[in-house]
Amino acid sequence: MTPLKQMPAWKALEAHAATLRVKHLRELFAEDPKRGERFNAEACGLFLDYSKHRITEETLKLFAGLAQASGLEERRAAMFRGDKINITENRAVLHTALRAPREAVIEVDGHNVVPDVHAVLDKMAEFAESIRSGAWTGYTGKPIRNVINIGIGGSDLGPVMAYEALRHYSQRDLTMRFVSNVDGSDFAEAVHGLDPEETLFIVSSKTFTTLETMTNAHTARVWALAKLKEHAAVARHFVAVSTNAKEVAKFGIDTANMFGFWDWVGGRYSMDAAIGLSSMIAIGAENFRRMLNGFHAMDEHFRSAPLERNLPFLMGMLTVWYTSFFGAETVAVLPYDNYLKRFPAYLQQLTMESNGKHITLDGQHVDYQTCPIFWGEPGTNGQHSFYQLIHQGTRLIPCDFIGFARSLNPLGNHHDLLMSNIFAQSEALAFGKTPEQVKAEGTADWLVPHRTFEGNRPSSVILAEKMTPEILGQLVALYEHSVFVQGVIWQIDSFDQWGVELGKVLAVRIIPELESPTEPELRHDSSTNALIRRYRRMKSRA
Ligand code: F6P
């Protein structure tokens, strides 16, 4: 593989970037007044305006050139085909199979996985409907009223995000809660006020060995059995979502109540696998299928749309563009929809666990930046908090604004007020306010620099008609595939996560040192040793 920076296509983009770094978006709009009507693309139910980016038609051609030189289309085909593109774990990457229609054929090692996917979906649907209808009762015969998902990372962030995003579609007499942190307070607050007789725990863990999840699951069992007494009650109050039947059985959960998935589904790509069981219970099987249809529609768009109209491609390349050629270190994701309040947190794992890597597929250290830091909050709240820095700070922060034409809760003129802010913010970021404009308003000379907005801050605006299960699926798949595009260009394996291992191993070594009744012999560095000693002293004083 030719190293990225030695590719002529990369060098061409680098030379081109030099001409655009000194151009203001005001100039780009002045030179091409209709760019706002042309630099946009639409797919399924999503409209993307990318005209307020520091690009020209030439940039798009060079993006396509780099994609071609990087073998993007072949890599994309390899992913959809089920090739083992996760090379460090020797695994296929087939989250797209999770939303493939029943009649599709996708093979891993000669085995068509689509019937397996649909068998699990059908089993989930049957179970979800039995909880929703009250047909599934707890051990003492009471219907389940509370559902608690225990999981972390991909086994938590997707379910939480989807539940919040689609809460409007949820069955309101079911209480849905989520426990992820090994901090006991997370568990204690999640079960606060709940009756074990009416509570179902979904233990969600791909590996079923994750320390946080297993600790919480054991605590949940103790909590439930304190009231239910009989061990046989576990079967009515605990189900598992995992790829590891052996560990599930060891925990005491009947494997008949296990919902499986496969090693070709990465944790952060699993919210539409059985990991979505809590979502399905909340919104029902029909709405869950609508969400999968949304994912699938975006998959098909990514697979078949020409690059210049391909949303994930455009968004992925824009992230590469600012990260690699403009020194941008972060991307802000700013949903103007309260239901999407956990979307930025969800995207943090999706983007940064996927592309936060510094070793190429060839095993070389990269000599360029890879994944930027993704962050964000619902938009209008952010405006009264960190937007100051986006407008007048010293860093370039490309922004993704996400908004809807219609509110699910139309109240007076709330929605127009909300949406006016998206349009105003992207306009202000791009065009700013010149010193001349500020002066013309009668501002005192000394105050003019403070009140000037330089502008030239790029943003995308993503619009959809209203928040639906389909649209949520499309949005998530849009970012999944954008992450894929970035990973291909940066020549990294977007589907492993070795960077999380060392901390886990060290924590396991440290646990007995914290718990030992006698002073342990510590063999860490002097800082870690001193911290452990101080923690032990503070703990014993308390
Ligand atoms: O912390 C890393 C990680 O492996 C994530 O990739 C994953 O989503 C999370 O832990 C949870 O893993 P599991 O589902 O196996 O409990």
Side-chain angles (χ1 to χ4, degrees), residues 37-81:
E37 287 154 39
R38 278 186 299 106
F39 285 88
N40 61 56
E42 203 163 0
C44 324
L46 299 182
F47 174 81
L48 169 71
D49 175 346
Y50 61 96
S51 62
K52 295 193 190 84
H53 281 288
R54 293 164 69 174
I55 57 166
T56 61
E57 300 281 0
E58 179 63 12
T59 322
L60 295 179
K61 280 194 201 120
L62 293 168
F63 282 175
L66 181 60
Q68 202 193 5
S70 303
L72 175 74
E73 283 167 320
E74 170 44 30
R75 303 264 303 147
R76 180 181 61 190
M79 176 174 73
F80 276 93
R81 201 161 53 219

Side-chain angles (χ1 to χ4, degrees), residues 229-304:
K229 308 291 183 208
E230 310 284 326
H231 191 264
V234 170
R236 302 300 298 172
H237 293 269
F238 285 81
V239 297
V241 177
S242 188
T243 56
N244 190 345
K246 202 163 132 230
E247 287 298 323
V248 169
K250 232 171 124 201
F251 180 85
I253 296 178
D254 185 348
T255 45
N257 297 332
M258 170 179 150
F259 300 84
F261 60 115
W262 307 272
D263 74 353
W264 41 262
V265 184
R268 53 193 175 275
Y269 296 87
S270 65
M271 61 171 273
D272 45 2
I275 290 292
L277 183 61
S278 60
S279 317
M280 198 192 263
I281 292 173
I283 63 174
E286 180 51 32
N287 281 324
F288 194 83
R289 284 187 198 277
R290 289 175 59 193
M291 182 180 82
L292 296 185
N293 291 342
F295 271 99
H296 181 65
M298 185 54 71
D299 294 344
E300 289 303 299
H301 167 78
F302 177 52
R303 179 146 70 166
S304 58

Side-chain angles (χ1 to χ4, degrees), residues 152-155 205-207 210 213 267-268 349 353 497 500 504:
I152 197 163
S155 302
S205 174
K206 181 174 170 183
T207 54
T210 304
T213 301
R268 53 193 175 275
Q349 187 197 17
E353 203 174 79
Q497 56 283 317
V500 303
K504 288 188 195 172

Side-chain angles (χ1 to χ4, degrees), residues 91-95 97-98 108 113 116-117 206 262-266:
R91 287 178 181 166
V93 174
L94 268 182
H95 41 280
L98 299 171
V108 178
V113 298
D116 303 349
V117 166
K206 181 174 170 183
W262 307 272
D263 74 353
W264 41 262
V265 184

Side-chain angles (χ1 to χ4, degrees), residues 7-241:
M7 285 182 183
W10 178 269
K11 290 184 182 162
L13 205 48
E14 198 166 31
H16 174 66
T19 66
L20 278 166
R21 276 196 293 269
V22 293
K23 264 227 149 128
H24 199 289
L25 276 164
R26 285 182 208 128
E27 293 169 75
L28 290 175
F29 271 83
E31 286 166 10
D32 179 6
K34 291 217 182 293
R35 64 181 275 131
E37 287 154 39
R38 278 186 299 106
F39 285 88
N40 61 56
E42 203 163 0
C44 324
L46 299 182
F47 174 81
L48 169 71
D49 175 346
Y50 61 96
S51 62
K52 295 193 190 84
H53 281 288
R54 293 164 69 174
I55 57 166
T56 61
E57 300 281 0
E58 179 63 12
T59 322
L60 295 179
K61 280 194 201 120
L62 293 168
F63 282 175
L66 181 60
Q68 202 193 5
S70 303
L72 175 74
E73 283 167 320
E74 170 44 30
R75 303 264 303 147
R76 180 181 61 190
M79 176 174 73
F80 276 93
R81 201 161 53 219
D83 290 6
K84 297 192 174 163
I85 63 164
N86 174 358
I87 57 160
T88 70
E89 295 180 312
N90 192 30
R91 287 178 181 166
V93 174
L94 268 182
H95 41 280
T96 50
L98 299 171
R99 51 263 192 162
R102 264 179 215 277
E103 60 282 4
V105 176
I106 302 169
E107 291 188 349
V108 178
D109 294 328
H111 171 75
N112 179 14
V113 298
V114 179
D116 303 349
V117 166
H118 283 274
V120 173
L121 281 172
D122 293 344
K123 182 175 167 182
M124 286 166 65
E126 198 184 315
F127 180 71
E129 292 309 327
S130 73
I131 296 289
R132 289 164 63 85
S133 66
W136 177 284
T137 55
Y139 190 60
T140 56
K142 291 190 181 174
I144 297 297
R145 300 269 50 95
N146 319 306
V147 177
I148 302 186
N149 185 75
I150 299 179
I152 197 163
S155 302
D156 167 72
L157 290 162
V160 176
M161 182 277 291
Y163 169 64
E164 291 295 345
L166 299 176
R167 193 186 264 252
H168 178 81
Y169 299 86
S170 69
Q171 185 166 315
R172 301 292 183 149
D173 63 353
L174 282 174
T175 298
M176 307 294 300
R177 294 190 184 166
F178 300 84
V179 177
S180 55
N181 202 325
V182 75
D183 181 341
S185 303
D186 200 13
F187 181 83
E189 290 296 341
V191 296
H192 187 79
L194 303 188
D195 178 356
E197 290 180 70
E198 299 180 335
T199 302
L200 175 82
F201 290 96
I202 304 174
V203 185
S204 297
S205 174
K206 181 174 170 183
T207 54
F208 229 72
T209 56
T210 304
L211 178 94
E212 294 87 341
T213 301
M214 297 327 296
T215 305
N216 280 319
H218 282 103
T219 301
R221 192 169 53 187
V222 170
W223 178 82
L225 293 185
K227 177 144 190 216
L228 297 165
K229 308 291 183 208
E230 310 284 326
H231 191 264
V234 170
R236 302 300 298 172
H237 293 269
F238 285 81
V239 297
V241 177

